[in-house]
Amino acid sequence: MNRKPPQSTVLEKGIWGMSGPMFVDQAVTYTIPLVDMYFLSRISDSAAAAVGAITPLVFVANAFLVVSAFAGASIASQRIGANDYARGNATIAAYMIFVLMLAVVAALSVNYGGPLVASSMSLSSEVEHHARTYLSIIGWMVALWGCRVIYQTILNIYGEPKWNTYSNIILFTANLIGNYIAVYGFMSIPPTGVVGVAVASIIAAAISLLFVMVVVHFKLRIHIPLQEGLKQFGVLIAPVIMIAAPSILEPMSFQAYMIALNWIAAEVGDLALKVKVYAYNTFLFCLMVSIAIGMATEAIIAQRVGRAEFDLVNQQLMQSLKISLIGTSVLALCWVLFNQPILKIFSSDPEVIAIGLWAFVLSFLAEPWRTVNITVGSALRCTGDATFTSVSSIGVIWLFSVPLAYVLAIPGGLGLYGLLIAAISDELVRALIKGWRWKQGKWKYTGIAAREARAASLSE
């Protein structure tokens, strides 16, 4: 008996059915940097500050791969929403090949280019040594995460995000065990410090990748026509690149902005850098709500756009935005209320703990605007309206936010607080621009079906 090909269940599950597993998935994902930071702080504050200072560089490389995969997934979802599974699966194959090639480039760039970036930052000699060591290894984790995100998007497209949750639990567990062994040793295995932490991350990523590969190919038996994807690669990847090219620029620019802020913080002093790293990495955990809702919203909206159900698309975004704002605000408030116990987990330095309260308060004020940025931005990208959003965000970051951060922190004498005030202003301005763009409604005409219809009319 022939087995029926798997069908997408995204619209049947809706926002709660899709976002529930994604929420757990993101909770695990954003716990990992906190766990890494905790174990690195057991080595020294300098080790934690070093990796925290250059983590945005790793995020830049990771965003390069994640955005490319999600751009491909949005096109595949629109085709599947229109019930064109053959073209949808062929699109998956094409962006799988594309992201695999990018993963190798990203790994080599981080491993060989990263240490040069660390050397150019105003880091103390001890912090720089740890940063160079970590970056020379961690690129292969980025490559494995890129391969893993391919399979995560496939599971999201087919309405099976629960398997991503299991994958992340495996990742977290393997990473936790690896970090423990790296810092404290185990039986005859000696402590290996920052090198061991980096290697543990690579091994954990490999194990979780293997799990999602087994699920997609053997459990769910989703057929990915690689031969067809390779044969029609140019035609299939073109609309993906139209979304991915501008979409990649924004998160890469944002992470470069984070590196610039760390650079300025290092100029202020090691104390400012340490507190900034602890506050920023702690508040990353708040992103689990907005990212989970954003991912679920992308999956739903892409298929609705494929069906030209624009009123339902707008309703979905408003519902998602409301849920995200409530969730992130509550979680961020908890971080502010418990800032002292949280900081004491990572550091015993009384100066770090003393200035942590206001760093946490200012970080809290940025969260609602960051939530709007993530939720509305992801909706615009998945509908194909990526260019204006990315270009405007890059302009705000480099023409407004970075200069403001420098002026407030150095000449203005506000130090760390100046950096955080600039971060609030950055998120606010970019959120207002994205909200205005969505209300214009141009996203209704940027989907793959609308583009192909215009192309067909022009060729007649």
Side-chain angles (χ1 to χ4, degrees):
M1 181 182 293
N2 291 331
R3 181 185 173 115
K4 184 180 179 181
Q7 301 288 301
S8 175
T9 59
V10 167
L11 298 182
E12 288 80 357
K13 290 186 175 181
I15 190 66
W16 293 112
M18 288 294 293
S19 65
M22 290 178 179
F23 177 78
V24 178
D25 177 21
Q26 293 303 307
V28 174
T29 298
Y30 283 100
T31 301
I32 289 172
L34 292 177
V35 171
D36 285 351
M37 188 167 62
Y38 170 79
F39 280 103
L40 287 163
S41 69
R42 299 308 91 186
I43 299 170
S44 69
D45 276 347
S46 294
V51 175
I54 49 80
T55 292
L57 187 63
V58 177
F59 285 172
V60 166
N62 189 53
F64 187 56
L65 305 176
V66 170
V67 171
S68 298
F70 272 84
S74 70
I75 298 297
S77 291
Q78 288 181 43
R79 294 199 186 283
I80 287 173
N83 207 34
D84 187 357
Y85 277 85
R87 293 274 284 175
N89 287 336
T91 300
I92 291 173
Y95 79 73
M96 175 181 280
I97 296 166
F98 183 58
V99 174
L100 284 172
M101 292 188 293
L102 293 180
V104 175
V105 174
L108 295 175
S109 298
V110 171
N111 283 355
Y112 293 100
L116 299 177
V117 174
S119 294
S120 67
M121 297 176 71
S122 299
L123 304 175
S124 65
S125 58
E126 184 181 2
V127 173
E128 181 187 334
H129 171 72
H130 288 310
R132 287 177 60 88
T133 300
Y134 185 80
L135 284 169
S136 67
I137 301 169
I138 204 65
W140 297 114
M141 181 206 73
V142 173
L144 291 169
W145 274 38
C147 296
R148 183 169 161 267
V149 81
I150 296 170
Y151 285 91
Q152 287 181 309
T153 58
I154 294 170
L155 291 167
N156 289 342
I157 289 169
Y158 275 87
E160 296 287 348
K162 65 181 182 182
W163 297 107
N164 290 329
T165 301
Y166 300 149
S167 168
N168 271 293
I169 291 172
I170 291 169
L171 175 68
F172 174 80
T173 304
N175 192 61
L176 180 64
I177 294 170
N179 275 337
Y180 182 89
I181 295 171
V183 173
Y184 298 111
F186 179 72
M187 298 180 68
S188 61
I189 303 174
T192 49
V194 172
V195 171
V197 170
V199 172
S201 297
I202 294 171
I203 293 172
I207 294 171
S208 64
L209 168 61
L210 181 61
F211 174 79
V212 287
M213 289 178 68
V214 169
V215 169
V216 168
H217 294 297
F218 299 102
K219 170 67 177 176
L220 301 178
R221 297 186 184 180
I222 297 172
H223 176 60
I224 309 300
L226 287 174
Q227 187 173 356
E228 187 69 16
L230 192 59
K231 182 180 178 182
Q232 300 188 52
F233 183 77
V235 173
L236 293 170
I237 209 66
V240 174
I241 292 176
M242 288 182 68
I243 295 177
S247 297
I248 284 171
L249 296 177
E250 184 180 355
M252 289 182 69
S253 178
F254 180 78
Q255 294 304 334
Y257 167 52
M258 289 295 102
I259 294 173
L261 290 188
N262 287 342
W263 206 316
I264 297 170
E267 290 286 344
V268 175
D270 269 5
L271 177 63
L273 177 60
K274 290 171 185 176
V275 176
K276 192 266 178 189
V277 166
Y278 288 145
Y280 177 74
N281 282 8
T282 300
F283 273 82
L284 274 180
F285 199 79
C286 296
L287 291 177
M288 68 181 185
V289 176
S290 52
I291 294 290
I293 297 296
M295 288 170 63
T297 303
E298 279 190 49
I300 295 169
I301 283 179
Q303 293 202 15
R304 294 283 186 206
V305 168
R307 298 182 180 196
E309 297 172 342
F310 299 128
D311 288 341
L312 293 177
V313 167
N314 194 63
Q315 290 174 22
Q316 182 59 67
L317 179 60
M318 294 304 105
Q319 180 193 20
S320 299
L321 195 55
K322 181 179 179 180
I323 295 168
S324 294
L325 284 169
I326 293 172
T328 53
S329 297
V330 169
L331 191 55
L333 182 60
C334 290
W335 286 143
V336 173
L337 294 176
F338 297 102
N339 71 92
Q340 297 291 295
I342 291 169
L343 283 168
K344 287 177 181 177
I345 293 173
F346 303 115
S347 179
S348 58
D349 187 336
E351 289 186 287
V352 170
I353 295 167
I355 66 174
L357 170 61
W358 290 110
F360 272 51
V361 169
L362 292 171
S363 297
F364 165 76
L365 295 176
E367 281 307 309
W369 304 114
R370 182 156 65 169
T371 298
V372 174
N373 266 320
I374 290 169
T375 309
V376 180
S378 62
L380 286 167
R381 280 191 295 273
C382 80
T383 60
D385 189 11
T387 302
F388 174 86
T389 308
S390 295
V391 170
S392 62
S393 291
I394 292 168
V396 169
I397 286 172
W398 296 104
L399 298 178
F400 170 73
S401 306
V402 171
L404 179 64
Y406 180 81
V407 169
L408 291 178
I410 308 292
L414 293 177
L416 172 65
Y417 301 138
L419 294 179
L420 296 174
I421 291 169
I424 296 170
S425 304
D426 169 72
E427 296 288 358
L428 169 61
V429 173
R430 290 191 294 117
L432 292 176
I433 290 173
K434 287 176 182 175
W436 169 78
R437 181 66 174 185
W438 181 266
K439 286 182 179 179
Q440 279 194 314
K442 292 189 177 181
W443 51 268
K444 298 176 183 178
Y445 312 105
T446 53
I448 185 64
R451 291 179 187 274
E452 289 179 344
R454 286 197 299 271
S457 64
L458 289 173
S459 64
E460 290 177 357

